[in-house]
Amino acid sequence: MFDAALHGFLVSLSLILAIGAQNAFVLRQGIRREHVLAVVLACAGSDAILIAAGVAGFGAASTALPWLGEAMRWGGVAFLLAYGAMRFRAAFAGGEALRPQGGEAASLRAVLMTVLVLTWANPHVYLDTVVLLGSIAAQYDPHRLSFGLGAALGSFVFFLTLGFGARLLAPVFENPRAWVVLELIVGATMWAIAAGLAFGG
């Protein structure tokens, strides 16, 4: 049970670490110290809902369709390999520096609307949470719930750290090399998880 929760936690962190519009927005809000808690809760809460849907949906479906677990396992391996390759490609492309723009503080409503659109309108969030985490959770039967709780906790820990630790990270991530290192770490982690799925099941 603990192993399932820990793996869920680590897989969730690995997926969320990939640089994207949502993370860049959370980092920017953290650097500017604008509505940080609301942004963090919106991101992590959305992830928790989607993770629950993935874990519950794939659990019920795998009971009705015994072959689905294996299909999702190898689908997850393929997705992780491709996702890791994308991260390596981004790293070799050189990375990007993130510098917050100036200007007046946005309203809480405007900030929440922005972060929710960045979250729910992004097709990758469904691949990461519902499809990928749901398929991996199926491998931890009967501890899918523990895996899902670990994954949701990973999301909350990440967004809390990113949002409230952003001020400390700001000088570091003004350097494009920092983004390159992060992309390399994420890519290596994704491939390691893919190997675990392929050879551990």
Side-chain angles (χ1 to χ4, degrees), residues 86-176:
M86 289 172 59
R87 305 278 53 90
F88 285 124
R89 181 179 179 183
F92 292 125
E96 288 185 37
L98 178 67
R99 298 183 176 86
Q101 298 175 353
E104 296 181 1
S107 68
L108 175 60
R109 182 177 182 277
V111 167
L112 285 178
M113 289 297 293
T114 300
V115 75
L116 288 174
V117 168
L118 287 174
T119 301
W120 291 88
N122 178 10
H124 286 99
V125 75
Y126 300 99
L127 292 173
D128 291 349
T129 54
V130 178
V131 177
L132 185 56
L133 287 175
S135 66
I136 296 175
Q139 308 302 313
Y140 286 89
D141 220 4
H143 301 301
R144 292 193 307 270
L145 178 59
S146 296
F147 181 92
L149 290 173
L153 178 62
S155 176
F156 274 96
V157 168
F158 172 78
F159 284 116
L160 282 169
T161 303
L162 180 62
F164 289 100
R167 185 184 178 193
L168 299 175
L169 295 173
V172 175
F173 282 95
E174 287 179 354
N175 183 350

Side-chain angles (χ1 to χ4, degrees), residues 15-39:
L15 290 171
I16 299 169
L17 271 173
I19 299 168
Q22 183 194 52
N23 290 354
F25 183 78
V26 174
L27 187 59
R28 177 180 178 275
Q29 291 304 117
I31 293 170
R32 293 169 65 94
R33 297 190 230 177
E34 291 178 7
H35 313 300
V36 179
L37 181 59
V39 169

Side-chain angles (χ1 to χ4, degrees), residues 70-92:
E70 274 298 287
M72 289 300 99
R73 174 187 169 202
W74 290 107
V77 169
F79 182 80
L80 284 166
L81 289 173
Y83 205 75
M86 289 172 59
R87 305 278 53 90
F88 285 124
R89 181 179 179 183
F92 292 125

